[in-house]
Amino acid sequence: MAKIGVFVCHCGENIASMVDTGTLVKAMSDHPGVAICNEYKYFCSDPGQETVKRAIREHNLTGVVVAACSPRMHETTFRKACAEAGLNPYMLELANIREQCSWVHSEKNQATSKAIEITRSLVEKVKRNNELKPISVPVTRRALVIGGGIAGIQAALDIAGAGREVVLVEREPSIGGHMSQLSETFPTLDCSQCILTPRMVEAIQHPKITVMTYSEVEEVEGYIGNFTAKIRKKARYVDMSKCTGCGDCIQKCPVKKIPSEFECGLGKRTAIYTPFAQAVPNVPVIDKSRCTYFKNGKCKICEKSCQIDAIDFEQQESVETFEFGAIVVATGFQIQDTSVYGEYGYGKYKDVITGLHFERLASASGPTAGKIQRPSDGKEPETVVFIQCAGSRDPSKGVKYCSKICCMYTAKHAMLYTHKHHGSNSKIFYMDIRAAGKGYDEFTRRAIEEDGADYLRGRVSKVFEENGKLIVRGVDTLLGKPVEVAADMVVLATAMTPQPDAKQFAKRIGIGYDEYGFYNEAHLKLRPVETAKAGIYLCGACQSPKDIPDSVAQASAAAAKVLGLFSREQLEREPVVAAVGETTCAGCWGCVYACPYNAIEKKDITDRNGNLIKQVASVNPGLCQGCGTCVTFCRSNSIDLAGFTEKQIFAEVMAL
Amino acid sequence: MGIQEQYRSEAAALLSSGEVKLVIGFGEGSTADRRRPLFARTPEEAQKFVLDAACIANLSTYLVTEGLLSDGKKVAVFLKPDGIRSVNILISEAQLKPDQVVILGYAIDKAEITALEGRNISDFSLGEEIRSHTPPPHILQEAERIEEMNPAERFEFWKAHFSKCIKCYACRQVCPMCYCRRCIVDVNQPQWVSTSSHTLGNFEWNIVRAFHLAGRCAACGACDRACPVNIPLRLVNYRMGKEVIDAFDYCAGENSSQKPVLASFKQDDPETFIL
Amino acid sequence: MIYSPFPMRVVSKRAEAPGVNTLKLEFVKEEDHEFFKQNYKTGMFGLYGIFGEGESTFCVASPETRKDYIECTFRQSGRVTSTLANVDAGDIVTFRGPYGNRFPIEQFEGKNLLFIAGGIALPPTRSVIWSCLDQREKYKDVTIVYGARTVADLVYKDELDEWKKRDDVRLVLTVDPGGETPDWQDHVGFVPTVLEQAAPSPENTIAVLCGPPIMIKFTLVALQKLGFTAENVYTTLENRMKCGVGKCGRCNVGSVYICKEGPVFTAAEVQAMPQADL
Amino acid sequence: MTRILLRNKLDDCIAAWQKAGFSVFAPVRQHEMSSFGEVQKASDMAFDLVLPERTIKDHFFPQTEPLIKYKIGKQQIDSETMTPPDRKRVFFGVRPCDASGLAIDDPLFGWDYKDDYWFRRRDNSVIVTIVCTEADDFCMCTSVKLSPESDKGADVMLRPLANGAGWQVEAVSERGTALLETIPSLLQENSEPTAPVPQVAEKFDLEKVMEWLASKENFESQFWKDISLRCVGCGSCTFLCPTCHCFDIQDEGDTYAGIRRKNWDSCSFSLFTMHTSGHNPRNTQSTRWRQRIMHKFNYYRGKFGVNSCSGCGRCTRQCPVDMGITETLQAISNLPR
């Protein structure tokens, strides 16, 4: 029969102060199948591990239970020890008598009897453990980076820099993302374009990076190391291989009054356009919905103006398929639809704008060439009111979270405004000032102390127009008094929200998301750049609101994960995967619908002559994450999870 | 021509034209008030079909007989709305191919039999009808009575009934939804459900079955009628069905493209621990 | 009481082939041992068990000439056999039996013996083989034809070597095509074919044939071709059993309770049973 | 002149038996089901039943019977054989078919290896049979050569009086005689006429059936496939049968202790004969139904000289798809020869 070794760890005083380890050792020594039971102060220490190894060898143990802390802490430690002593590492179980016992109890007797129950139930489990071997999966060492903002660019550059191929997909005509729209960046006030453009150029020129702009990821199939992605290239109607980016076509285009998306509607663009002057690639696209030729069948002025025949009205969209080993999702964010704040008059009053508008007004390459002007009449505003948390931290408007960057950019806006407009007057309504970050608090202090930003703690209840002024009515909660400010312009620090199609896209590639649509990481603290789907990583604001430094840091972290994966040709995966019993599978496909990872397929069972006998479910071990959802569902118990078989779980429960 | 004659000749025609290989209907039973399933393979046998208010069994259970439909040929079957509902569930669970079943639909209203139009499963849209359909008054009354009990009383009620169970599995065998090739009670590694029919083992079995039918039961009452020791099984399944409608707005068998309510993962699952 | 087993101590465990083990068991209580010594005859079976898991039926693989212990050989497949496969020397298991009928080996005396076995069905044959070899002088020629799917699947490898070396035993070993290893010296082919090639004489010969149903079917044909009559061919049936004593109704083949009237039958008796129920 | 027991003496009778150390069982109705249950007084009994839904077999071969208790210890496993209670019991109001059922099963439980669990109960029980006054559409005792007044398996026979006031009493075994000796004062000499015994028509020709079943070529007849088409393979007919006796042995317990049990099993179940190899000799419902019929009307008789059917008709009465032995045997006897 089984010969199990049980090792009771004191964890210093962590366990021993609440659990009577002597009693536990005695109880386990008397348990059927236990060959040896020891206690020690720290089994995770070197001498502790040595004790375990020696016991395995001396007693020919068939299984080991370490009664200590959470398996999250030391499962790997002891698995390694087992393997070194010649025992299959999956013949180990950790009985968590710390987090689940000593730490949560205050009565020693109760804690001790609970520790006994926990430990013996693991002993009963380990008796039924099977030797498992890691699964080897081949790895395609090419990465897909989805999203060409600063996060995506950084991740692509880091991965390519280490010599691995990258395909960078951006759905807009140019990479750059939101960062390219910004004027100066906090807390150093260096010009956003100036630091971004070199990166963009580096990316497009990198021999290992294929940049696919105006393209979207249609579909992702497969699993870690072995993804297949279909990428749809939208028709640009400009031959990228020919275009030199001279801009003649743009000059000649007769449709000139289209509000520019890049300029947040503050500027205009043509029907054939590049979103901004420094666009990468510097190749225009034709906006089919606005182009006269596409609408009326006549015009083609751009074609005529192009010296090198780069315009191609016949161009079709195409779908290309690539194999990838890893995917970095960097799809970024959007700003909240500010119309939810009807009381602030956004959309009603032209001079109520968002922070992003303000960025364009302040940008030297923007529609006003960097002059802060009112959109309504082009006058320079004397008094500007900034309203922070105009969307964030407001559950009634659907956003409970803090958008993290607004405190900083509002301070920056006030500062830029003062710099450009001496003697101007900025009033900032705020709830709290959150300026945790290197140089951040100093930055906000500077806005207040050096640049005269006037911070009013309180909420704004209403913005309305009176005599050509925007009257901002609110409360100064520090004074406890209502305030009214007559402003020339109001800037709303709107919330960062996920892309409107974030949830749909997550479903397409099979990753999880939270209630808003921000993508879920595998573990908030310990695995912040991985998703629960192995091989797919996250960076930037698609995961949660982030500023540039954080996005870039996370992008490098994601790249490090990808490179770690790419460091070997074969990937070893945990063998904790499900498998289907084909004789009893009834083929109802419940498991197929239940699987969060799309790891279960339909498989034909044929006789020797190839005639179809029946269809059964089949688990792809490469995709399976061992979550067990299918097991709990299967009515005929035809699926079992290696390492957590029903037999093991049943024995565990029965021993309680 | 009454519906019985109409269906006899229709069944005969289906058989003689070779459209179906088999018609499953009802024939005379061993006593005047009983009807028994009748399998006709020839037009002559089809003349023995009986259709009247005593034809209450849900014949869809025979459609999942192992091997019956594996040759790809068609089978016609006499079905009431609850049977049609079962067929919808079976199709959605991939146990039947819609084009293999010809439905001779009928409804019983008191002692009256009416024919239902349509022969393909797609001809029947049951949606609202099923939702508004309530169990017979005496069942409903009993269900309400149990609902009003306190938990201890309710436990005693079921204990008394379940302790009678002899584990003959007639409830399972007559149920069209119990098509598993190996039932959970026949799994012995581990032995999830005791084979013994003592009160505990009986509880285990009946509760497991109730769970396995939650969101899948067509409420035909076959289990209840089959139980040789008169356990009011449909009350259990009625309650589970109600629970599923309330919690998930899901009524089993409304159509044949439903996904299993308790086994369809949604990416926006409020619990984030899986994905 | 009728369903109460004897406790048995595991003396040793030997791995025979992938998933196949042999246990050697000794009696814990002397009175149980006495009972066994008085009642055991080759061919009988028992129910081997472990409390908490249940009982499983297989033959006693040791001969009636060696009654100090019980050997049993089984493939790990169900709940009970999986647990039995994990016992070690010193552990206690249970035995209920010996049950059933036997090979009438005293009627074999003075005759040639032909043993034919396939795969995991060598154990019941081995019980007769040793019962006869231990009294070698009572029998004439002894031929053993044994085949398995692959070389690894052959059981009792040590004893096969021993038989091979003896000059009073003719051993014909074979593995199915594709099951041979590079250094395999013996036959490659299915048992019926190899048997026909070996062509033992049916003259004054008793054949004992054990194996999976499909092998039995074709080997019987081969034996007939060689001139054996069904009355002179013995086999054992291994039906599913629970009680072992003719009550539980499980092992019926036609009117025959395999557990009481069997498991040993002549081929003629087997042919008289409803074939569809086998 | 015979002795009678008046209905109004029944309470005294029960009391007298209890005093003599017997527990008294009779047909009762509980939780919408009729069965044999322990009674304390006459009013507990359900006399209006043609036949209780559950058979008397339940009390001799219970649906689950503990055989061995075991404890798993560190060094060893302790086991203890469990024996059925020795309690003396009177079964009052047993129908002739149910009583016959016990007699039919006796040889099976007794050949070679005596099943102590069955016989200990049999030896401590006295069967008081009441002759039928009513039969329903499903009754078929006469078809299997028994009758509504058969005393097979009985210790005491009661014949209902025509006036309904009581029963004519007659001991038919030593055990019966001994039982009546505990209630001499409650019995009186009387010559009241007894109620007529119902006419139960013979539904099939048993001789013809047995002859057909005995013929080897019929074993593979298409008949079996056709007749069993609608069988859903539940075990209700076997579990409600007074003679079916198939069982399973199962260990049930937790990590440390448990009980080995003998549980009812049924030849109707698809896994009943499944080998570990996956081979299943009776892998279709038709072969299982054939086994049931063959076992009852051919094999059993070959071994023990009686058919394993007492004609109670429960198999048809409670079949969810209106099948049963009667229909099959009728069909066999109507087959063209």
Side-chain angles (χ1 to χ4, degrees), chain C residues 8-11 23-27 48 69-70 72 93:
Chain C
M8 305 290 292
R9 186 175 295 107
V10 178
V11 181
L23 294 182
K24 185 172 184 180
L25 312 171
E26 65 181 18
F27 289 87
Y48 302 79
Y69 55 86
I70 291 176
C72 62
V93 299

Side-chain angles (χ1 to χ4, degrees), chain A residues 92-375:
Chain A
L92 164 90
E93 294 292 337
L94 253 77
N96 186 350
I97 58 166
R98 193 180 74 177
E99 284 87 337
Q100 291 176 0
C101 190
S102 69
W103 279 1
V104 290
H105 288 281
S106 51
E107 216 279 304
K108 199 161 181 175
N109 284 339
Q110 286 176 357
T112 305
S113 53
K114 184 172 171 185
I116 293 172
E117 291 208 28
I118 292 174
T119 311
R120 75 178 179 212
S121 99
L122 268 306
V123 169
E124 287 305 313
K125 184 189 179 207
V126 85
K127 280 183 186 175
R128 291 155 181 85
N129 278 19
N130 296 310
E131 297 192 349
L132 301 178
K133 285 203 183 75
I135 299 170
S136 268
V137 184
V139 178
T140 304
R141 296 194 272 190
R142 182 190 297 124
L144 168 64
V145 177
I146 308 172
I150 182 58
I153 291 171
Q154 182 67 41
L157 285 172
D158 285 349
I159 297 167
R164 301 292 169 206
E165 280 180 53
V166 180
V167 175
L168 176 63
V169 177
E170 168 58 52
R171 67 172 159 194
E172 299 298 330
S174 166
I175 57 172
H178 281 297
M179 187 174 167
S180 62
Q181 287 176 286
L182 308 182
S183 52
E184 274 84 33
T185 54
F186 60 80
T188 47
L189 288 188
D190 39 13
C191 156
S192 183
Q193 288 278 8
C194 308
I195 55 174
L196 175 65
T197 313
R199 290 295 170 95
M200 292 162 62
V201 173
E202 193 186 337
I204 198 133
Q205 289 179 348
H206 201 292
K208 293 278 184 191
I209 300 179
T210 308
V211 176
M212 297 176 73
T213 50
Y214 214 43
S215 300
E216 292 191 52
V217 175
E218 281 273 285
E219 189 183 299
V220 171
E221 279 188 340
Y223 52 95
I224 182 166
N226 299 275
F227 294 105
T228 306
K230 284 189 180 151
I231 299 168
R232 186 164 54 88
K233 280 176 90 167
K234 294 177 272 193
R236 213 174 177 111
Y237 305 110
V238 176
D239 187 335
M240 289 189 77
S241 62
K242 290 183 182 166
C243 176
T244 60
C246 69
D248 285 354
C249 52
I250 300 172
Q251 293 275 315
K252 299 276 163 55
C253 180
V255 189
K256 296 193 190 299
K257 294 262 169 84
I258 305 167
S260 161
E261 294 83 0
F262 184 81
E263 302 293 0
C264 302
L266 295 172
K268 305 285 185 236
R269 66 163 169 86
T270 45
I272 183 166
Y273 72 106
T274 52
F276 55 100
Q278 304 87 333
V280 169
N282 189 19
V283 175
V285 297
I286 295 178
D287 181 351
K288 196 176 174 182
S289 64
R290 310 304 281 263
C291 169
T292 314
Y293 169 71
F294 279 112
K295 275 156 89 176
N296 306 331
K298 280 182 203 149
C299 181
K300 291 200 173 181
I301 293 173
C302 50
E303 193 182 54
K304 285 163 208 148
S305 72
C306 183
Q307 310 284 326
I308 43 169
D309 294 334
I311 309 289
D312 176 7
F313 288 101
E314 303 305 312
Q315 206 178 64
Q316 297 294 318
E317 66 171 34
S318 62
V319 175
E320 288 185 40
T321 305
F322 295 88
E323 308 276 308
F324 296 105
I327 298 173
V328 177
V329 179
T331 48
F333 68 100
Q334 280 302 337
I335 56 165
Q336 192 186 19
D337 175 7
T338 314
S339 62
V340 296
Y341 282 92
E343 62 268 40
Y344 293 167
Y346 181 84
K348 188 170 166 195
Y349 311 123
K350 280 188 165 176
D351 298 329
V352 178
I353 60 172
T354 68
L356 201 56
H357 284 112
F358 193 91
E359 292 287 345
R360 292 315 300 152
L361 291 177
S363 169
S365 63
T368 57
K371 281 202 179 118
I372 310 295
Q373 294 176 338
R374 299 192 344 162

